[in-house]
Amino acid sequence: MIRTISILASLAAIAAPASAQPIGENPPTKTIQCIEVGGRLIPAVCKVPGSRLDLREDICTCPDGGQRVEVAICAKGQTPPPEGRTLNRARATAARDGTLAGDTVDGRPICVAPRRP
């Protein structure tokens, strides 16, 4: 009995960080980025539905390294901050808690453009 509970708990711990977005959100409000220690982006690999209408991501991983970090998707009319040293430093500092949601750089929210099918 205890062994079964510990196995289920470990499976839940592994599965929880693998999900990318809440199931009910379409269009989604967050995604995953892979961030190096210095704040630079590393490409994330995401499994997505084959539909052009469904913009959600099922699972995102960082196979080439980096920290897996949640980041907000830019709202309509909002643009992501420009890539550069300032953004890299802000991401490196802000990513320590595992999320960039709510973080800003030069007064602009850190967000990414929505995925286009």
Side-chain angles (χ1 to χ4, degrees), residues 46-65:
C46 297
K47 180 180 179 258
V48 297
S51 168
R52 293 187 327 208
L53 301 176
D54 191 353
L55 300 176
R56 293 175 293 178
E57 298 163 340
D58 295 329
I59 296 174
C60 291
T61 59
C62 298
D64 293 331

Side-chain angles (χ1 to χ4, degrees), residues 74-96:
C74 297
K76 192 171 188 165
Q78 201 176 36
T79 57
E83 289 291 327
R85 274 190 245 177
T86 306
L87 180 58
N88 288 348
R89 279 193 295 259
R91 274 194 296 236
T93 304
R96 291 181 185 151

